[in-house]
PDB file of all heavy atoms in Angstrom:
ATOM      1  N   SER Q 276     -20.277  17.652  18.458  1.00 91.00           N
ATOM      2  CA  SER Q 276     -20.404  16.342  17.804  1.00 91.00           C
ATOM      3  C   SER Q 276     -19.027  15.691  17.796  1.00 91.00           C
ATOM      4  O   SER Q 276     -18.018  16.352  17.546  1.00 91.00           O
ATOM      5  CB  SER Q 276     -20.932  16.487  16.371  1.00 91.00           C
ATOM      6  OG  SER Q 276     -20.085  17.303  15.597  1.00 91.00           O
ATOM      7  N   MET Q 277     -18.999  14.411  18.117  1.00 91.00           N
ATOM      8  CA  MET Q 277     -17.755  13.638  18.163  1.00 91.00           C
ATOM      9  C   MET Q 277     -17.803  12.594  17.051  1.00 91.00           C
ATOM     10  O   MET Q 277     -18.755  11.816  16.978  1.00 91.00           O
ATOM     11  CB  MET Q 277     -17.598  12.940  19.510  1.00 91.00           C
ATOM     12  CG  MET Q 277     -17.531  13.871  20.708  1.00 91.00           C
ATOM     13  SD  MET Q 277     -16.053  14.885  20.740  1.00 91.00           S
ATOM     14  CE  MET Q 277     -14.791  13.634  20.642  1.00 91.00           C
ATOM     15  N   VAL Q 278     -16.787  12.589  16.200  1.00 92.00           N
ATOM     16  CA  VAL Q 278     -16.727  11.641  15.091  1.00 92.00           C
ATOM     17  C   VAL Q 278     -15.454  10.811  15.236  1.00 92.00           C
ATOM     18  O   VAL Q 278     -14.353  11.360  15.365  1.00 92.00           O
ATOM     19  CB  VAL Q 278     -16.726  12.365  13.728  1.00 92.00           C
ATOM     20  CG1 VAL Q 278     -16.660  11.355  12.592  1.00 92.00           C
ATOM     21  CG2 VAL Q 278     -17.961  13.234  13.586  1.00 92.00           C
ATOM     22  N   PHE Q 279     -15.601   9.489  15.228  1.00 91.00           N
ATOM     23  CA  PHE Q 279     -14.466   8.571  15.307  1.00 91.00           C
ATOM     24  C   PHE Q 279     -14.191   7.993  13.921  1.00 91.00           C
ATOM     25  O   PHE Q 279     -15.112   7.511  13.251  1.00 91.00           O
ATOM     26  CB  PHE Q 279     -14.742   7.458  16.315  1.00 91.00           C
ATOM     27  CG  PHE Q 279     -14.780   7.933  17.738  1.00 91.00           C
ATOM     28  CD1 PHE Q 279     -15.932   8.478  18.265  1.00 91.00           C
ATOM     29  CD2 PHE Q 279     -13.656   7.869  18.539  1.00 91.00           C
ATOM     30  CE1 PHE Q 279     -15.978   8.949  19.569  1.00 91.00           C
ATOM     31  CE2 PHE Q 279     -13.683   8.335  19.839  1.00 91.00           C
ATOM     32  CZ  PHE Q 279     -14.846   8.873  20.362  1.00 91.00           C
ATOM     33  N   ALA Q 280     -12.936   8.059  13.501  1.00 86.00           N
ATOM     34  CA  ALA Q 280     -12.574   7.644  12.143  1.00 86.00           C
ATOM     35  C   ALA Q 280     -12.706   6.141  11.940  1.00 86.00           C
ATOM     36  O   ALA Q 280     -12.917   5.683  10.818  1.00 86.00           O
ATOM     37  CB  ALA Q 280     -11.159   8.084  11.811  1.00 86.00           C
ATOM     38  N   GLY Q 281     -12.562   5.361  13.003  1.00 82.00           N
ATOM     39  CA  GLY Q 281     -12.654   3.912  12.879  1.00 82.00           C
ATOM     40  C   GLY Q 281     -11.309   3.289  12.541  1.00 82.00           C
ATOM     41  O   GLY Q 281     -10.303   3.979  12.365  1.00 82.00           O
ATOM     42  N   PRO Q 282     -11.275   1.971  12.406  1.00 76.00           N
ATOM     43  CA  PRO Q 282      -9.996   1.279  12.202  1.00 76.00           C
ATOM     44  C   PRO Q 282      -9.451   1.366  10.782  1.00 76.00           C
ATOM     45  O   PRO Q 282      -8.287   1.099  10.550  1.00 76.00           O
ATOM     46  CB  PRO Q 282     -10.339  -0.175  12.566  1.00 76.00           C
ATOM     47  CG  PRO Q 282     -11.797  -0.302  12.260  1.00 76.00           C
ATOM     48  CD  PRO Q 282     -12.401   1.033  12.554  1.00 76.00           C
ATOM     49  N   ARG Q 283     -10.280   1.716   9.791  1.00 73.00           N
ATOM     50  CA  ARG Q 283      -9.852   1.693   8.395  1.00 73.00           C
ATOM     51  C   ARG Q 283      -9.620   3.070   7.802  1.00 73.00           C
ATOM     52  O   ARG Q 283      -9.197   3.187   6.658  1.00 73.00           O
ATOM     53  CB  ARG Q 283     -10.903   0.960   7.535  1.00 73.00           C
ATOM     54  CG  ARG Q 283     -11.179  -0.466   7.942  1.00 73.00           C
ATOM     55  CD  ARG Q 283      -9.929  -1.299   7.923  1.00 73.00           C
ATOM     56  NE  ARG Q 283     -10.206  -2.715   8.051  1.00 73.00           N
ATOM     57  CZ  ARG Q 283      -9.336  -3.613   8.445  1.00 73.00           C
ATOM     58  NH1 ARG Q 283      -8.118  -3.236   8.747  1.00 73.00           N
ATOM     59  NH2 ARG Q 283      -9.662  -4.875   8.531  1.00 73.00           N
ATOM     60  N   MET Q 284      -9.929   4.132   8.550  1.00 78.00           N
ATOM     61  CA  MET Q 284      -9.733   5.488   8.057  1.00 78.00           C
ATOM     62  C   MET Q 284      -8.915   6.284   9.054  1.00 78.00           C
ATOM     63  O   MET Q 284      -8.723   5.864  10.195  1.00 78.00           O
ATOM     64  CB  MET Q 284     -11.079   6.183   7.824  1.00 78.00           C
ATOM     65  CG  MET Q 284     -11.940   5.555   6.758  1.00 78.00           C
ATOM     66  SD  MET Q 284     -13.524   6.407   6.557  1.00 78.00           S
ATOM     67  CE  MET Q 284     -13.002   7.951   5.834  1.00 78.00           C
ATOM     68  N   LYS Q 285      -8.465   7.450   8.629  1.00 83.00           N
ATOM     69  CA  LYS Q 285      -7.796   8.392   9.509  1.00 83.00           C
ATOM     70  C   LYS Q 285      -8.705   9.601   9.709  1.00 83.00           C
ATOM     71  O   LYS Q 285      -9.592   9.858   8.904  1.00 83.00           O
ATOM     72  CB  LYS Q 285      -6.460   8.843   8.910  1.00 83.00           C
ATOM     73  CG  LYS Q 285      -5.441   7.732   8.722  1.00 83.00           C
ATOM     74  CD  LYS Q 285      -4.182   8.299   8.106  1.00 83.00           C
ATOM     75  CE  LYS Q 285      -3.142   7.207   7.877  1.00 83.00           C
ATOM     76  NZ  LYS Q 285      -1.925   7.747   7.228  1.00 83.00           N
ATOM     77  N   ALA Q 286      -8.426  10.340  10.776  1.00 88.00           N
ATOM     78  CA  ALA Q 286      -9.165  11.581  10.984  1.00 88.00           C
ATOM     79  C   ALA Q 286      -8.954  12.531   9.810  1.00 88.00           C
ATOM     80  O   ALA Q 286      -9.870  13.276   9.427  1.00 88.00           O
ATOM     81  CB  ALA Q 286      -8.730  12.238  12.294  1.00 88.00           C
ATOM     82  N   ASP Q 287      -7.769  12.501   9.213  1.00 88.00           N
ATOM     83  CA  ASP Q 287      -7.487  13.339   8.043  1.00 88.00           C
ATOM     84  C   ASP Q 287      -8.454  13.029   6.905  1.00 88.00           C
ATOM     85  O   ASP Q 287      -8.929  13.932   6.214  1.00 88.00           O
ATOM     86  CB  ASP Q 287      -6.057  13.112   7.559  1.00 88.00           C
ATOM     87  CG  ASP Q 287      -5.022  13.607   8.557  1.00 88.00           C
ATOM     88  OD1 ASP Q 287      -5.430  13.944   9.688  1.00 88.00           O
ATOM     89  OD2 ASP Q 287      -3.835  13.655   8.226  1.00 88.00           O
ATOM     90  N   ASP Q 288      -8.737  11.727   6.696  1.00 84.00           N
ATOM     91  CA  ASP Q 288      -9.644  11.334   5.618  1.00 84.00           C
ATOM     92  C   ASP Q 288     -11.051  11.863   5.862  1.00 84.00           C
ATOM     93  O   ASP Q 288     -11.735  12.310   4.933  1.00 84.00           O
ATOM     94  CB  ASP Q 288      -9.672   9.810   5.481  1.00 84.00           C
ATOM     95  CG  ASP Q 288      -8.292   9.229   5.210  1.00 84.00           C
ATOM     96  OD1 ASP Q 288      -7.551   9.835   4.414  1.00 84.00           O
ATOM     97  OD2 ASP Q 288      -7.962   8.189   5.792  1.00 84.00           O
TER      98      ASP Q 288
END
Side-chain angles (χ1 to χ4, degrees):
S276 59
M277 299 293 305
V278 180
F279 291 84
R283 301 302 191 201
M284 296 179 70
K285 297 179 181 178
D287 293 10
D288 302 319

